[in-house]
Amino acid sequence: EKSSLFWTRACQHSSTPRRPSSCPLRSHRDTMAAEGFKIDWPPADAGGGGGGGCCAPGQACEDGACDAPAPKLTKLHISGWPGCGYYRKAKAALETLSVLFPDKYEIVLHEQPDRDAYRAFLFPLRDQMANSKANSHTSSPFVAMGEDFAGAPGECTYVGGCDATLDYARSLFGGPTNAPKPAASVADGYAVGHEFDYDLIVIGGGSGGLAASKEAAKLLGDQGKVLVLDYVKPSPKGSKWGLGGTCVNVGCIPKKLMHQSSLIGELINEDAKHFGWVSPTSNGAAEGEGEAAPPQNVHQWETMRIEVQS
């Protein structure tokens, strides 16, 4: 049929007879043909060569024997700027459609030089469309379907951005799309006035456990009860600690605080004098200007340890 595109032969065979399975491409072609792999274009009920007409798709008969009208072009408008990778990707997909099906799709480019020019062009037009998502669209690209997006945007249909455009192209061939599944609330079984002692039990009193339990207590308020189960196995030297886990008590946080303490000591006693900060006993002496007095600030390990643990 002239209205169908079939899987065509992709390799040349010699005149030597061969078994059908000797050519993998031919075998693949025969399999797809057996499964009915074809795209009806245009549809049989749309005219323009479908349903056994005598003219090719999108062409009228020269002798007037066939009154089938040419199929109406679907105009897809895309706006963006060349520096945007998503615009280039969506533009390539739409231009491929126009190459594969020139009698069906026409791509109209509204390409702007940069982001500011793109938004200056888009915002007045998108605000005239009935779709609320189109009204709030700010990213590149912007794709719409209709006759005249620049002149009559209110009569156009909003398609979306890059992902929506690729999904649209895939859907024409029956391919999967990335459209998100509709969200639905699922009951978790919680009911006020249950027979349990606690609404939530958190195992582990580390950073995550404490954050989860505190947030739950805040949400439940006076009507809920939250329990935190924490256990600290003593170290080989018998060290133990309370809530907060390894990170808060003997891990990341103490390490960073003690490191900060050492940086402050070095800054005060070594670097500050080069920036004009001197103690009265140093007589303003900096490096190369005489003997400087000993540091006025002495580190107290016990004070630092208590502050870090508090």
Side-chain angles (χ1 to χ4, degrees), residues 210-232:
L210 285 181
S213 58
K214 288 180 178 179
E215 195 67 24
K218 186 189 303 182
L219 294 174
L220 294 172
D222 297 335
Q223 298 181 353
K225 297 178 68 177
V226 179
L227 175 66
V228 179
L229 301 177
D230 189 50
Y231 172 74
V232 179

Side-chain angles (χ1 to χ4, degrees), residues 250-272:
V250 293
C252 309
I253 305 303
K255 177 190 69 176
K256 292 177 180 178
L257 291 176
M258 287 188 287
H259 182 63
Q260 180 68 10
S261 175
S262 68
L263 293 178
I264 292 174
E266 183 178 355
L267 179 65
I268 293 175
N269 297 320
E270 301 295 336
D271 298 336

Side-chain angles (χ1 to χ4, degrees), residues 15-282:
S15 57
T16 305
R18 299 183 181 180
R19 294 180 300 173
S21 60
S22 61
C23 177
L25 287 176
R26 178 178 178 180
S27 176
H28 183 62
R29 179 205 65 183
D30 296 340
T31 302
M32 299 190 74
E35 294 175 352
F37 178 80
K38 65 177 181 178
I39 302 175
D40 289 329
W41 203 265
D45 57 354
C54 62
C55 56
Q59 299 179 358
C61 293
E62 296 179 357
D63 57 1
C66 177
D67 296 328
K72 185 177 179 180
L73 286 173
T74 298
K75 288 187 177 181
L76 289 165
H77 301 261
I78 178 171
S79 180
W81 75 92
C84 174
Y86 295 106
Y87 166 73
R88 297 195 300 268
K89 183 185 295 185
K91 174 185 173 183
L94 294 182
E95 288 181 336
T96 300
L97 287 180
S98 66
V99 171
L100 293 175
F101 309 112
D103 299 323
K104 181 64 177 177
Y105 290 101
E106 178 182 352
I107 310 305
V108 182
L109 302 180
H110 303 278
E111 190 168 285
Q112 306 301 319
D114 52 39
R115 175 184 176 182
D116 293 338
Y118 163 69
R119 292 191 169 187
F121 167 80
L122 174 66
F123 286 6
L125 300 177
R126 65 160 198 194
D127 294 340
Q128 302 179 44
M129 301 184 72
N131 191 300
S132 59
K133 292 185 178 180
N135 303 148
S136 60
H137 189 114
T138 60
S139 60
S140 170
F142 183 96
V143 179
M145 184 185 303
E147 284 298 316
D148 185 9
F149 175 67
E155 300 176 4
C156 295
T157 301
Y158 174 67
V159 176
C162 178
D163 290 342
T165 302
L166 297 181
D167 282 345
Y168 172 78
R170 293 188 189 101
S171 68
L172 299 176
F173 298 91
T177 64
N178 297 322
K181 297 180 180 179
S185 299
V186 179
D188 59 2
Y190 174 77
V192 179
H194 52 72
E195 69 278 10
F196 299 104
D197 297 326
Y198 297 95
D199 296 274
L200 176 67
I201 297 178
V202 179
I203 301 177
S207 303
L210 285 181
S213 58
K214 288 180 178 179
E215 195 67 24
K218 186 189 303 182
L219 294 174
L220 294 172
D222 297 335
Q223 298 181 353
K225 297 178 68 177
V226 179
L227 175 66
V228 179
L229 301 177
D230 189 50
Y231 172 74
V232 179
K233 182 180 179 181
S235 69
K237 292 189 176 182
S239 300
K240 293 188 66 175
W241 51 86
L243 289 173
T246 302
C247 179
V248 172
N249 291 281
V250 293
C252 309
I253 305 303
K255 177 190 69 176
K256 292 177 180 178
L257 291 176
M258 287 188 287
H259 182 63
Q260 180 68 10
S261 175
S262 68
L263 293 178
I264 292 174
E266 183 178 355
L267 179 65
I268 293 175
N269 297 320
E270 301 295 336
D271 298 336
K273 58 186 177 183
H274 298 289
F275 292 88
W277 291 93
V278 294
S279 63
T281 58
S282 66

